[in-house]
């Protein structure tokens, strides 16, 4: 992407040192441009209206207006805006609430540089992105619910079978690793392939399974017994 087509980013977080760190990371990527920043969600609408960013990186915990409330207000006024939540909370309830509000991404603040950059690009292109640990926790929560379910749909009772009618053998491997909460980089290392190839596989999996994001793919795979549940 050329510099004049850079993804415009607004950064909203009440911790100045964290903001500075994120800005510094993003400055190394020519296709990113931090056009505005603020330290509270109450300022979000003003800076979005003024600077028209493509993506807002939004802290979930702020003093006057938290990230969830700010996201809800922003998307009501700017429905095409994309929001990625930044959080220290990996609990499933926080993630679910953020996604229900309309956020397209959820990153833990312990994220590495690659995860941050990948999340921005995926969300900008219309996808959804969850921190791998968050994906893993959502899957764990689903597994617990399924295990406690007394019906025959319990995940522990589902026979494991690869979906070879739908996916290639390599895509089955990638789906299994996604269910274990592995990032694209980790999957690439495990399968000894490039990250670009992993991204292509993930894209194909989502399209073939007719789902919107990685989490939906994993939950669907568990329901159907397409991945091994350890």
């Amino acid at each position: 992407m050329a510099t004049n087509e850079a993804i415009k980013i607004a950064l909203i977080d009440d911790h100045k040192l964290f903001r500075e760190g994120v800005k510094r990371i993003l400055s190394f990527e020519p296709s990113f441009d931090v056009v505005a920043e603020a330290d509270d969600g109450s300022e979000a609408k003003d800076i979005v209206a003024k600077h028209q960013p493509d993506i807002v990186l939004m802290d979930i915990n702020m003093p006057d207006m938290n990230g969830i409330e700010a996201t809800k207000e922003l998307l009501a006024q700017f429905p095409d805006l994309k929001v990625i939540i930044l959080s220290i909370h990996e609990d499933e309830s926080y993630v679910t609430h953020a996604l229900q509000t309309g956020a397209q991404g959820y990153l833990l603040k312990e994220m590495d540089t690659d995860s941050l950059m990948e999340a921005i690009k995926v969300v900008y292109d219309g996808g959804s992105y969850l921190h791998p640990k968050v994906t893993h926790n959502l899957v764990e929560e689903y597994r617990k619910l399924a295990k406690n379910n007394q019906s025959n749909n319990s995940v522990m009772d589902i026979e494991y079978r690869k979906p070879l009618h739908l996916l290639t053998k390599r895509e089955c491997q990638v789906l299994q690793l996604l269910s274990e909460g592995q990032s694209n980089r980790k999957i690439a290392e495990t399968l000894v392939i490039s990250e670009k190839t992993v991204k292509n596989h993930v894209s194909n999996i989502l399209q073939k399974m007719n789902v919107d994001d990685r989490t939906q793919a994993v939950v669907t795979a568990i329901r159907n017994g397409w991945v091994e549940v350890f």
Side-chain angles (χ1 to χ4, degrees):
M1 178 179 293
T3 304
N4 62 350
E5 297 177 343
I7 299 171
K8 295 185 291 184
I9 301 167
L11 178 56
I12 303 175
D13 193 295
D14 62 326
H15 291 93
K16 186 174 181 179
L17 283 177
F18 179 79
R19 285 206 318 266
E20 291 299 323
V22 172
K23 284 172 59 182
R24 181 172 176 78
I25 289 171
L26 298 181
S27 70
F28 292 112
E29 173 54 67
S31 62
F32 296 156
D33 182 17
V34 178
V35 296
E37 58 182 299
D39 57 13
D40 192 80
S42 60
E43 303 172 54
K45 286 194 293 185
D46 288 340
I47 69 170
V48 168
K50 180 178 180 180
H51 298 280
Q52 299 183 336
D54 301 303
I55 289 179
V56 173
L57 299 180
M58 178 84 73
D59 184 18
I60 199 171
N61 290 326
M62 291 178 287
D64 294 331
M65 178 182 286
N66 66 45
I68 299 297
E69 295 170 339
T71 297
K72 185 175 182 179
E73 288 197 6
L74 276 178
L75 294 179
Q77 186 170 343
F78 309 98
D80 295 330
L81 184 67
K82 296 176 172 64
V83 178
I84 299 174
I85 294 293
L86 305 176
S87 176
I88 61 171
H89 304 288
E90 57 188 74
D91 185 85
E92 180 265 345
S93 61
Y94 282 92
V95 183
T96 300
H97 197 184
L99 297 180
Q100 287 175 341
T101 303
Q104 289 91 346
Y106 192 101
L107 285 173
L108 297 180
K109 288 191 172 182
E110 63 186 54
M111 63 196 166
D112 57 30
T113 298
D114 290 341
S115 293
L116 175 60
M117 292 189 172
E118 181 182 359
I120 292 172
K121 292 176 181 177
V122 168
V123 169
Y124 178 76
D125 287 336
S128 301
Y129 191 95
L130 300 181
H131 191 285
K133 185 180 289 187
V134 169
T135 302
H136 176 73
N137 289 346
L138 284 174
V139 172
E140 284 295 308
E141 187 67 22
Y142 176 83
R143 287 166 58 185
K144 289 176 184 176
L145 290 172
K147 187 175 182 180
N148 292 332
N149 191 334
Q150 296 303 311
S151 72
N152 291 329
N153 291 328
S154 170
V155 70
M156 304 305 290
D157 297 332
I158 296 175
E159 179 184 359
Y160 167 58
R161 56 190 184 280
K162 291 184 178 180
L164 295 175
H165 64 290
L166 187 65
L167 306 178
T168 66
K169 290 183 178 180
R170 178 62 88 188
E171 288 166 354
C172 289
Q173 292 175 318
V174 172
L175 183 60
Q176 175 65 47
L177 295 173
L178 286 176
S179 75
E180 296 170 17
Q182 293 195 19
S183 65
N184 284 357
R185 183 172 64 178
K186 183 64 176 176
I187 292 173
E189 292 174 355
T190 300
L191 299 179
V192 196
I193 56 180
S194 70
E195 282 192 61
K196 182 178 180 180
T197 300
V198 173
K199 291 178 183 179
N200 289 338
H201 285 315
V202 172
S203 178
N204 290 337
I205 289 169
L206 300 185
Q207 183 177 13
K208 290 179 179 180
M209 293 180 65
N210 194 28
V211 294
D212 295 326
D213 55 50
R214 300 154 71 106
T215 303
Q216 289 182 21
V218 170
V219 171
T220 299
I222 291 176
R223 286 195 184 122
N224 287 284
W226 292 347
V227 293
E228 293 185 271
V229 180
F230 299 102

